[in-house]
């Protein structure tokens, strides 16, 4: 019997985050997540059961949107074992594949062609103690072409979060090795404040706003 994945939704939108922001992208949102981040904006994907779909059904649906960029997201997509084969098959078909993960599970078995966007949950999320630091070690020790396939994302809600983030970056010299995306939790910290702190520290990170929340209503699904 074919392997199935629990899918919450598949849709096409504008990529809102990462160095691919602004690009049309097909999103494959997997159901289920065992974490409880305070600022989670996809709780529905964590709690809803989703629809079981075979890998070929998922690929057929995704192909219908005709984008070369495909993102695997959730929920926490790495909780479902068949997602590894799904990512590999999408790469084999010539897609540029992004993985958006909460950063609590290791990414060492992900196909190296996949661009990994790894959240680093700040203290205000309530989950920063569970960060999988082996992902950071994997990225900083990776050979040069592979290193470019890692991006780390910090969403901050306060100055305390920012200070924690700077300390984490310094500890691993992470922003000297990989792209680090730093943004604000929507409506919790004004981007101008974060911009001022970054400039004051001359911090080598990339400020990013969650583009989709400015284009569409911030709680809108399927965008
Ligand atoms: S890991 Fe992602 S999906 Fe899971 S609770 Fe945290 S923000 Fe939500």
């Amino acid at each position: 019997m074919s392997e199935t994945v629990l899918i919450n939704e598949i849709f096409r939108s504008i990529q809102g985050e990462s160095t691919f922001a602004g690009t049309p992208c097909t999103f494959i949102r997997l159901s289920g997540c065992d974490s409880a981040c305070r600022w989670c904006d996809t709780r529905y994907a964590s709690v809803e059961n989703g629809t079981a779909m075979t890998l070929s059904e998922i690929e057929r649906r995704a192909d219908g949107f005709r984008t070369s960029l495909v993102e695997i997201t959730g929920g926490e997509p790495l909780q479902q074992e068949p997602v590894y084969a799904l990512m590999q098959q999408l790469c084999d078909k010539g897609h540029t594949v992004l993985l958006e993960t909460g950063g609590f599970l290791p990414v060492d078995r992900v196909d190296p062609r996949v661009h990994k966007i790894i959240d680093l949950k700040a203290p205000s999320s309530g989950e920063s103690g569970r960060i999988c630091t082996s992902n950071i070690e994997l990225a900083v020790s990776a050979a040069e072409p592979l290193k470019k396939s890692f991006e780390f994302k910090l969403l901050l809600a306060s100055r305390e979060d920012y200070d924690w983030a700077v300390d984490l970056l310094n500890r691993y010299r992470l922003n000297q090795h990989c792209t680090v995306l730093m943004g604000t939790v929507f409506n919790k910290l004004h981007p101008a404040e974060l911009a001022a702190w970054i400039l004051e520290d001359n911090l080598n990170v990339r400020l990013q706003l969650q583009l989709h929340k400015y284009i569409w209503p911030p709680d809108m699904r399927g965008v």
Side-chain angles (χ1 to χ4, degrees):
M1 194 178 138
S2 311
E3 286 186 304
T4 59
V5 179
L6 281 177
I7 296 293
N8 179 271
E9 55 184 353
I10 301 176
F11 59 96
R12 178 177 52 191
S13 186
I14 297 292
Q15 176 59 250
E17 303 182 82
S18 82
T19 56
F20 294 85
T23 313
C25 178
T26 297
F27 292 81
I28 301 174
R29 188 183 304 289
L30 277 65
S31 295
C33 179
D34 291 342
S35 300
C37 306
R38 185 168 298 130
W39 313 122
C40 181
D41 56 4
T42 53
R43 186 80 62 203
Y44 55 90
S46 307
V47 297
E48 290 174 2
N49 289 332
T51 305
M53 295 175 71
T54 64
L55 302 194
S56 52
E57 281 174 326
I58 296 166
E59 286 170 31
R60 204 162 41 243
R61 282 278 305 281
D63 284 349
F65 290 116
R66 296 178 288 110
T67 64
S68 59
L69 190 64
V70 176
E71 175 170 299
I72 305 291
T73 186
E76 173 46 67
L78 294 181
Q79 284 185 193
Q80 297 193 55
E81 182 62 29
V83 77
Y84 294 95
L86 176 62
M87 290 187 281
Q88 186 182 350
Q89 289 179 22
L90 289 167
C91 288
D92 289 347
K93 290 179 85 171
H95 287 290
T96 300
V97 179
L98 313 181
L99 166 69
E100 170 93 34
T101 170
F104 303 122
L105 295 171
V107 297
D108 55 346
R109 289 195 297 126
V110 174
D111 189 299
R113 294 170 292 180
V114 172
H115 294 264
K116 297 157 283 291
I117 304 159
I118 303 171
D119 283 359
L120 297 171
K121 300 293 185 188
S124 70
S125 73
E127 293 279 30
S128 63
R130 295 182 50 240
I131 286 175
C132 180
T133 53
S134 68
N135 287 334
I136 301 176
E137 286 154 6
L138 188 69
V140 299
S141 64
E144 201 48 55
L146 186 60
K147 204 169 272 197
K148 286 194 170 48
S149 72
F150 288 87
E151 296 186 12
F152 289 87
K153 187 178 86 179
L154 290 141
L155 280 185
L156 312 178
S158 64
R159 178 72 201 203
E160 185 199 28
D161 278 355
Y162 176 79
D163 290 339
W164 171 89
V166 171
D167 183 61
L168 183 75
L169 297 183
N170 288 341
R171 202 177 326 142
Y172 292 94
R173 297 171 61 230
L174 183 57
N175 50 342
Q176 295 180 34
H177 289 274
C178 301
T179 297
V180 174
L181 311 153
M182 197 176 267
T184 58
V185 177
F186 195 79
N187 276 346
K188 295 293 173 196
L189 176 65
H190 198 286
E193 267 193 279
L194 177 58
W197 298 338
I198 290 171
L199 290 172
E200 195 177 303
D201 290 344
N202 201 21
L203 195 64
N204 179 26
V205 296
R206 183 174 174 132
L207 174 65
Q208 75 155 21
L209 306 180
Q210 293 174 298
L211 204 52
H212 49 292
K213 295 192 180 178
Y214 292 85
I215 301 173
W216 295 285
D219 54 357
M220 189 166 167
R221 288 173 62 160
V223 294

